[in-house]
């Protein structure tokens, strides 16, 4: 200690006199992490997508080609991309609609105790395993599951059957239809929408709402022209979570739905099982590009202003 | 980057092989003698194929092998044939239990080595009909030792079908099942491109004009006809199954009435007293026949050969058949195995050998001057069919 302390002091004095060096030393590890590990793997991915696969032996041909992107834009694969993006959009809109009333109540009306209880209730599902929740939903939505049983008891089976005959979203039972998959996606990602919307609503000043009322606006007008515009960045921030998470998920479409592929499954199938790393890489580039555009649009909408 | 890793891997592999000098192999050369074991064996296998008593202590064919040979076994399980080929392409493994839709790809890709049968003395106990099967013997050279085989059976709910369904039509064509309700939304199909062959087999029987002789060698016209059958099937399919346990759940909770399946699921559901049975309809059935193959640059070739010999011992073969619901490659294993029981082989399909068309990889050059649809087109087209195209 007796020799260590002066040395430490000398180092600290040395760095204090050279703030640029101190800053450099502090920033190098995280920047190296971002640059090498994160961007490096993205670049490796991008490079892989310009290789191609020998169809029979299953070995990757390391020669520059656009053939893999040609494969990506066949009709079946475009279907997969549209299906995934469509589901992500639907889940995002539904999550925003479902989250807003609860977030509004939490931000404006709930007593502190009630608010804490609601926060806990929103976060509680995140404490248990995601896989367990998805598989329990498979049982809930099964043809002989509890939901169907309840619906039958309420004599509403006609409504459920009508829903399941709808083209596109229907199917033999809820657990093998896109509708069932949508319900589960909505359930698993809803907390990620509630929290940012609640935070945004809390920042809307009470005085503005009172002023709006004083100036003769009806509640609906106040909501539409004052509260919604001010809270919208929160909705956009939440939508980034719900949209991106749905776009990349492969567990829910594996356990539920009608077996039609989603992007995450296609990546898994091509990379993990077919050994077609180039096509898997090309598939991964798609959500990356979609999210890049989405984030630019979100920035325009002011989603990051509060950061 | 991958090349560097490959280089490092092969250097490591070479270093590991030095103690057993004299058995170092060049690409494609056959082993001439078995030296001392290297102390380790790395296997790629189907789940449930290599058991060491961890799930059920009665099912253990690894511990004794490890004691006798000193080769410590490490298993990497794979879920599909494509995954097995991908893992073998990556390298670093010794042996693989490859099905026929993987084995020929491994042979022509140069991933597996020729097996010297004189070093596997028990090879002459293997079922004669499997000894020279085309999925492991190419140009008179043997590239593996048969492990197990089994049919893709038609599993059905016995409450819906009082008598076994006679045709695969119950899962391919929309129709009224014996309980008076339509089969729409109550049947399943296998979620693998090789399932196109099941549709082709169905057509071979019902549309002889197409001239389908081999469901794995389809020309463009035959292939398109099979795809049409599958597109019709898409409209009535409940879900495409890939996970045996999800299928078991679907038969239990989703009211699925019939599906192509493996004896594995049938045995498990029967054990749960669920009303199912299985049959092989008039059209015959597809099936799998698996082969243990050795990687061309296996890090532990001596242990690999010791495993090849062990893999066809009657005890292992019988226990495994009981565990997996498959049929042993060694007929002697059917007699006197406690776990399998006296009729175990027949229950799992032994008598149906000649009615089964075994999985093999579809190739473009399918002989006789015909041009066939290659496997990667089976993959893309089947994904499209499942997606509703």
């Amino acid at each position: 200690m007796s020799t260590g302390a002066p040395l430490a002091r000398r180092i600290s004095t040395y760095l204090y006199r050279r703030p640029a060096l101190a800053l450099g030393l502090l920033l190098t590890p995280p920047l190296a992490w971002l640059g090498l590990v994160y961007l490096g793997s993205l670049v490796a991915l991008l490079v892989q997508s310009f290789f191609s696969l020998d169809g029979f032996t299953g070995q990757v041909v390391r020669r520059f080609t656009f053939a893999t992107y040609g494969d990506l834009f066949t009709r079946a694969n475009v279907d997969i991309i549209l299906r995934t993006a469509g589901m992500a959009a639907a889940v995002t809109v539904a999550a925003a609609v479902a989250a807003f009333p609860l977030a509004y109540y939490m931000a404006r009306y709930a007593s502190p105790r009630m608010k804490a209880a609601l926060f806990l209730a929103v976060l509680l599902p995140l404490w248990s395993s995601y896989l367990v929740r998805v598989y329990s939903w498979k049982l809930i939505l099964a043809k002989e599951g509890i939901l169907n049983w309840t619906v039958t008891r309420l004599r509403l089976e006609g409504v459920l059957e009508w829903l399941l005959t709808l083209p596109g979203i229907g199917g033999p039972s809820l657990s093998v239809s896109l509708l069932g998959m949508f319900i589960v996606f909505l359930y698993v990602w809803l907390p990620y929408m509630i929290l940012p919307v609640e935070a945004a609503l809390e920042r809307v000043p009470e005085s503005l709402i009172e002023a709006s009322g004083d100036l003769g606006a009806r509640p609906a007008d106040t909501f539409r022209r004052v509260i919604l515009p001010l809270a919208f960045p929160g909705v956009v921030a939440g939508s980034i979570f719900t949209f991106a998470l749905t776009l990349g998920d492969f567990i829910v479409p594996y356990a539920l739905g009608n077996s039609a592929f989603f992007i995450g499954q296609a990546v898994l199938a091509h990379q993990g099982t077919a050994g077609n790393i180039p096509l898997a890489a090309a598939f991964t580039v798609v959500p990356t590009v979609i999210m890049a555009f989405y984030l630019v649009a979100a920035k325009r909408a002011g989603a990051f202003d509060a950061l | 980057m991958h090349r560097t890793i490959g280089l490092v891997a092969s250097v490591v592999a070479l270093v590991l092989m030095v103690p057993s000098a004299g058995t170092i192999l060049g690409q494609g050369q056959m082993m001439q003698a078995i030296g001392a074991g290297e102390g380790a064996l790395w296997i790629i296998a189907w789940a449930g194929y290599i058991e060491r008593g961890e799930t059920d202590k009665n099912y253990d064919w690894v511990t004794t092998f490890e004691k006798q040979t000193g080769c410590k076994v490490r298993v990497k399980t794979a879920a599909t044939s494509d995954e097995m080929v991908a893992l073998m392409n990556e390298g670093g493994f010794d042996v693989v239990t490859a099905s026929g839709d993987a084995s020929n790809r491994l042979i022509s890709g140069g991933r597996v080595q020729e097996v010297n049968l004189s070093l596997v003395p028990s090879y002459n106990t293997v079922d004669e009909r499997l000894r020279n099967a085309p999925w492991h013997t190419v140009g008179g050279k043997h590239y593996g030792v048969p492990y197990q085989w089994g049919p893709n059976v038609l599993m059905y709910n016995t409450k819906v079908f009082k008598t076994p369904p006679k045709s695969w039509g119950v899962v391919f064509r929309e129709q009224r099942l014996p309980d008076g309700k339509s089969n729409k939304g109550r049947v399943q199909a296998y979620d693998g491109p090789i399932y196109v062959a099941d549709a082709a087999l169905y057509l071979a029987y019902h549309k002889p004009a197409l001239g389908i002789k081999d469901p794995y060698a389809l020309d463009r016209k035959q292939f398109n006809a099979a795809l049409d059958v599958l597109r019709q099937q898409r409209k009535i399919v409940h879900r495409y199954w890939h996970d045996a346990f999800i299928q078991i759940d679907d038969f239990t909770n989703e009211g699925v009435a019939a599906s192509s399946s493996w004896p594995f699921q049938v045995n498990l559901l029967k054990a749960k007293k669920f009303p199912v049975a299985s049959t092989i309809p008039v059209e015959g059935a597809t099936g799998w026949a698996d082969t243990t193959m050795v990687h061309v640059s296996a890090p532990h070739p001596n242990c690999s050969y010791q495993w090849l010999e062990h893999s066809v011992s009657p005890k292992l073969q019988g226990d495994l058949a009981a565990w997996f619901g498959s049929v042993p490659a060694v007929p002697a294993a059917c007699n006197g195995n406690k776990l399998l029981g006296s009729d175990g082989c027949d229950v799992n399909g032994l008598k149906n050998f000649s009615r089964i068309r075994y999985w093999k990889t579809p190739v473009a050059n399918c002989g006789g001057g015909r041009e066939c649809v290659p496997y990667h087109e089976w993959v893309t087209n089947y994904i499209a069919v499942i997606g509703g195209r």
Side-chain angles (χ1 to χ4, degrees), chain A:
Chain A
M1 281 305 266
S2 57
T3 53
L7 179 67
R9 187 160 304 157
R10 253 182 294 157
I11 292 174
S12 104
T13 317
Y14 182 79
L15 287 177
Y16 181 75
R17 289 194 185 136
R18 291 164 189 79
L21 180 66
L23 187 69
L25 281 177
L26 277 174
L27 278 183
T28 306
L31 280 183
W33 173 266
L34 263 178
L36 291 175
V37 179
Y38 188 75
L39 290 180
S41 58
L42 272 183
V43 168
L45 197 76
L46 200 63
V47 170
Q48 286 280 352
S49 70
F50 289 104
F51 293 153
S52 66
L53 191 82
D54 182 322
F56 185 68
T57 60
Q59 282 157 11
V60 176
V61 183
R62 292 171 194 286
R63 217 176 305 124
F64 181 86
T65 168
F66 281 110
T68 305
Y69 280 96
D71 288 345
L72 181 65
F73 292 108
T74 55
R75 274 165 60 184
N77 289 340
V78 171
D79 278 354
I80 293 174
I81 294 167
L82 292 179
R83 188 180 299 128
T84 314
M87 176 61 84
V91 168
T92 301
V93 171
V97 172
F100 208 93
L102 180 63
Y104 193 78
Y105 177 77
M106 284 166 77
R108 307 217 78 92
Y109 294 108
S111 66
R113 184 180 290 242
M114 187 63 182
K115 201 164 162 177
L118 282 174
F119 262 115
L120 194 67
V122 169
L123 290 174
L124 205 59
L126 302 180
W127 294 3
S128 71
S129 162
Y130 166 70
L131 276 176
V132 172
R133 286 181 285 140
V134 170
Y135 275 85
S136 53
W137 268 100
K138 181 179 184 301
L139 293 177
I140 293 171
L141 296 175
K143 195 171 215 147
E144 282 151 43
I146 185 164
L147 189 70
N148 227 329
W149 181 83
T150 316
V151 167
T152 316
R153 279 296 158 103
L154 296 173
R155 305 196 174 274
L156 289 173
E157 62 263 46
V159 179
L160 184 62
E161 263 164 41
W162 173 78
L163 273 176
L164 289 176
T165 54
L166 292 179
I169 61 168
S173 84
L174 268 179
S175 103
V176 286
S177 63
L178 279 179
L179 184 62
M181 199 197 285
F182 166 80
I183 293 171
V184 176
F185 267 131
L186 182 59
Y187 159 78
V188 291
W189 306 138
L190 193 58
Y192 297 92
M193 180 62 95
I194 293 175
L195 297 179
V197 173
E198 199 272 343
L201 281 169
E202 261 188 19
R203 288 207 315 272
V204 177
E206 193 81 27
S207 55
L208 284 187
I209 297 168
E210 284 165 5
S212 165
D214 290 347
L215 292 171
R218 280 167 301 169
D221 287 327
T222 306
F223 178 77
R224 197 163 51 83
R225 302 179 58 174
V226 179
I227 299 174
L228 199 58
L230 286 171
F232 194 67
V235 177
V236 174
S239 77
I240 293 170
F241 289 115
T242 55
F243 192 80
L245 289 169
T246 312
L247 212 54
D249 192 85
F250 62 93
I251 306 279
V252 174
Y254 179 89
L256 295 122
N258 65 1
S259 300
F261 272 38
F262 275 56
I263 290 179
Q265 282 173 297
V267 172
L268 185 69
H270 287 302
Q271 184 274 124
T273 58
N276 194 345
I277 292 175
L279 188 54
F283 250 116
T284 322
V285 169
V286 173
T288 314
V289 169
I290 295 178
M291 278 320 291
F293 279 109
Y294 198 97
L295 288 176
V296 169
K299 188 166 167 18
R300 292 253 170 94
F304 309 120
D305 294 353
L307 289 182

Side-chain angles (χ1 to χ4, degrees), chain B residues 330-374:
Chain B
V330 177
C334 292
N335 305 320
N337 187 296
K338 213 171 76 205
L339 298 170
L340 190 58
S342 54
D343 61 345
C345 284
D346 289 337
V347 169
N348 291 348
L350 178 62
K351 291 202 175 113
N352 291 311
F353 188 92
S354 58
R355 300 183 57 211
I356 292 166
R357 311 298 286 267
Y358 294 94
W359 280 357
K360 63 182 185 200
T361 311
V363 293
N365 173 17
C366 49
R370 289 170 73 227
E371 174 86 18
C372 288
V373 179

Side-chain angles (χ1 to χ4, degrees), chain B residues 158-211:
Chain B
T158 50
K159 285 209 175 126
V160 177
F161 295 92
K162 299 295 176 212
T163 53
K166 291 198 172 57
S167 161
W168 283 104
V170 295
V171 297
F172 283 124
R173 302 274 186 217
E174 184 164 358
Q175 57 187 261
R176 205 175 281 275
L177 297 182
D179 67 353
K181 285 184 272 182
S182 163
N183 60 351
K184 190 166 185 184
R186 296 166 75 205
V187 296
Q188 292 192 330
Y190 182 59
D191 185 10
I194 204 72
Y195 190 73
V196 176
D198 287 63
L201 194 63
Y202 175 76
L203 285 176
Y205 185 88
H206 293 278
K207 289 232 176 83
L210 282 167

